[in-house]
């Protein structure tokens, strides 16, 4: 059995509990939260509760630590777990700065432990089908792609927890809500070369942005548009990823990006297209994404391989968010190569 411990018993922790319970060969043995009252719903036979991570890490019944705390706390807790010799599953975003992400990756490599970042949307049936088409080259030469998140997070949502909407612990709509969609965009389109962006805090009383629009140029020459907002009235409207090429057009959308809305490829008959769309509609959600992440980590630990979603993958999505935010704040286009140089300089020991 691969034994898991969860740090942070807030909203997202239940998804981790359910995922661990559903995976053969995985077992929840510990939970940790500074507030002892928050431990209670997660305690069950064989599961120990801790209010201090250092104490939990001393347990000999622990292989993997799942970090489910506010985003700004991820780096320190990841490094602490890695230095104790524990593998790490960390919620998105893995960090709020590239320097912290690099420290996390370095700590895991140095201590010989695995690191995976929770980007579960890659496991959605429609997204796996889209990725297969990309790998087949079915789009031909790519022209552009759109990543859209039009959601509602009202003021009550932000008022429920003091960390939400802050720059230090939340990071804004791109960092906290849209980063999954950006991970998918990068997974499909490859690396970004340059970013221009605008963002604003239009409707919510928060420190970070609630609305953001960006334009990208990918290294392959294709263009991209990112639209992300938590201001949509009165509820979530859509999440979508659209990819356009010389021989293919695909749009995955819906309130969450789980359904094929458009699926046209050169040489593919209407009958075959309809079969693909129908197959996805019969099971648009598939195996829950968090369960896929835990399944993959469990197998990776047993097999001694890297997880499917690596720390480097999490870092790439983070870098794109930071590039968009930097471009918006400076009013200038940001080259990813310049962002990397600045990050490396900031991370170098003085």
């Amino acid at each position: 059995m691969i034994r898991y411990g969860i740090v942070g018993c807030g909203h997202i922790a239940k998804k981790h509990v359910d995922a661990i319970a559903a995976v053969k060969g995985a077992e929840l043995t510990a939970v940790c939260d500074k507030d002892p009252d928050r431990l209670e719903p997660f305690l069950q036979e064989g599961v120990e509760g801790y209010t201090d991570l250092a104490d939990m890490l001393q347990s000999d019944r622990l292989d993997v630590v799942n970090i489910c705390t506010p985003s700004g706390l991820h780096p320190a807790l990841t490094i602490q777990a890695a230095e104790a010799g524990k593998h790490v599953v960390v919620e998105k975003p893995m960090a709020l700065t590239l320097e912290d992400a690099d420290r996390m990756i370095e700590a895991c490599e140095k201590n010989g432990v695995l690191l995976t970042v929770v980007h579960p949307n890659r496991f959605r049936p429609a997204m796996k089908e889209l990725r297969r088409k990309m790998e087949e080259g079915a789009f031909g030469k790519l022209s552009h792609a759109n990543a859209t998140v039009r959601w509602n997070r009202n003021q009550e949502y932000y008022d429920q927890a003091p960390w939400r909407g802050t720059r230090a612990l939340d990071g804004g709509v791109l960092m906290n809500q849209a980063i999954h969609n950006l991970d998918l965009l990068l997974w499909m389109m490859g690396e970004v070369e340059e970013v221009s962006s605008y963002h604003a805090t239009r409707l919510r009383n928060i420190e970070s942005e609630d609305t953001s629009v960006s334009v990208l140029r990918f290294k392959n020459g294709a263009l991209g548009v990112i639209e992300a907002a938590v201001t949509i009235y009165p509820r979530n409207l859509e999440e979508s990823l659209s990819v356009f090429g010389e021989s293919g057009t695909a749009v995955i959308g819906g309130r969450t990006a789980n359904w094929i809305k458009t699926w046209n490829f050169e040489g593919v008959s209407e009958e075959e297209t309809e079969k693909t769309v129908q197959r996805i509609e019969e099971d648009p959600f598939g195996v829950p994404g968090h369960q896929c992440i835990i399944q993959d980590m469990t197998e990776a630990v047993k097999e001694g391989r890297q997880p499917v979603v690596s720390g480097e993958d999490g870092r790439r999505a983070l870098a794109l968010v930071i590039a968009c935010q930097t471009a918006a704040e400076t009013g200038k286009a940001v080259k990813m190569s310049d962002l990397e140089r600045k990050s490396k300089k900031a991370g170098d020991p003085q």
Side-chain angles (χ1 to χ4, degrees):
M1 297 294 286
I2 303 301
R3 299 158 299 183
Y4 287 79
I6 295 173
V7 184
C9 293
H11 169 74
I12 203 65
K14 187 178 186 306
K15 287 193 175 183
H16 287 252
V17 172
D18 293 344
I20 294 165
V23 172
K24 184 178 179 180
E27 178 185 14
L28 178 66
T29 59
V31 290
C32 178
D33 197 288
K34 288 184 176 181
D35 184 350
D37 291 337
R38 297 180 74 180
L39 295 173
E40 289 300 324
F42 299 93
L43 296 179
Q44 50 191 280
E45 186 177 350
V47 177
E48 298 177 347
Y50 298 86
T51 56
D52 190 314
L53 177 58
D55 292 336
M56 189 176 88
L57 292 174
Q58 291 178 14
S59 171
D60 58 3
R61 298 177 60 243
L62 186 63
D63 302 303
V64 185
V65 174
N66 292 26
I67 297 174
C68 303
T69 62
S71 305
L73 303 178
H74 292 174
L77 297 175
T78 295
I79 293 168
Q80 187 179 356
E83 290 178 344
K86 311 302 181 184
H87 306 290
V88 177
V89 175
V90 62
E91 269 291 342
K92 59 78 187 169
M94 65 182 296
L96 299 182
T97 70
L98 292 180
E99 296 76 34
D100 278 342
D102 288 337
R103 290 171 55 232
M104 295 163 71
I105 293 169
E106 181 182 0
C108 290
E109 291 177 347
K110 180 180 178 181
N111 290 281
V113 299
L114 302 180
L115 170 65
T116 190
V117 183
V118 180
H119 282 299
N121 295 1
R122 291 189 183 196
F123 298 95
R124 291 173 173 175
M127 289 302 170
K128 290 194 290 185
E129 193 69 28
L130 180 59
R131 173 69 178 183
R132 185 175 67 81
K133 283 295 186 184
M134 294 295 298
E135 291 175 345
E136 291 175 354
F139 286 90
K141 185 176 182 180
L142 293 164
S143 63
H144 66 294
N146 284 36
T148 303
V149 177
R150 294 169 174 163
W151 283 354
N152 174 279
R153 295 294 182 271
N154 58 24
Q155 192 61 47
E156 182 182 0
Y157 164 85
Y158 289 103
D159 292 342
Q160 284 174 354
W163 66 273
R164 290 179 178 172
T166 65
R167 293 185 184 277
L169 296 178
D170 178 298
V173 61
L174 286 174
M175 194 73 80
N176 200 20
Q177 280 79 33
I179 196 167
H180 285 316
N181 201 282
L182 302 195
D183 172 67
L184 295 173
L185 178 68
L186 293 170
W187 194 38
M188 302 300 172
M189 299 295 291
E191 294 186 34
V192 173
E193 185 173 274
E194 188 175 64
V195 176
S196 294
S197 187
Y198 288 96
H199 69 205
T201 308
R202 293 292 297 164
L203 302 181
R204 306 295 175 242
N205 182 25
I206 56 176
E207 290 180 352
S208 51
E209 82 280 355
D210 60 19
T211 309
S212 180
V213 179
S214 302
V215 179
L216 321 175
R217 184 171 69 243
F218 293 93
K219 285 189 175 181
N220 60 21
L223 303 180
V225 175
I226 298 169
E227 177 194 339
V230 289
T231 58
I232 307 306
Y233 178 83
R235 62 186 67 89
N236 289 1
L237 178 63
E238 69 169 306
E239 175 193 6
S240 64
L241 182 67
S242 307
V243 179
F244 307 96
E246 62 180 337
S247 55
T249 295
V251 179
I252 311 297
R255 189 168 292 183
T256 54
N258 287 87
W259 289 268
I260 294 177
K261 296 298 184 180
T262 302
W263 196 257
N264 296 312
F265 293 94
E266 187 177 274
V268 178
S269 67
E270 289 187 12
E271 182 181 4
E272 186 177 347
T273 296
E274 182 58 34
K275 285 182 180 179
T276 300
V277 173
Q278 185 176 354
R279 186 174 70 252
I280 297 301
E281 287 186 349
E282 288 173 355
D283 186 19
F285 298 99
V287 177
H290 279 74
Q291 183 178 330
C292 294
I293 291 286
I294 298 301
Q295 179 75 53
D296 178 60
M297 176 57 104
T298 300
E299 294 173 358
V301 172
K302 291 179 178 180
E303 298 168 7
R305 62 165 174 83
Q306 287 297 311
V308 170
V309 184
S310 67
E312 290 291 346
D313 290 327
R315 186 190 186 280
R316 275 188 281 274
L318 173 64
L320 179 53
V321 171
I322 291 173
C324 292
Q325 291 177 333
T326 302
E329 289 163 4
T330 62
K332 299 178 181 179
V334 171
K335 292 184 179 295
M336 298 303 292
S337 57
D338 291 342
L339 186 72
E340 290 293 343
R341 278 194 292 270
K342 289 178 182 178
S343 171
K344 188 176 185 304
K345 184 176 180 181
D348 286 340
Q350 300 298 317

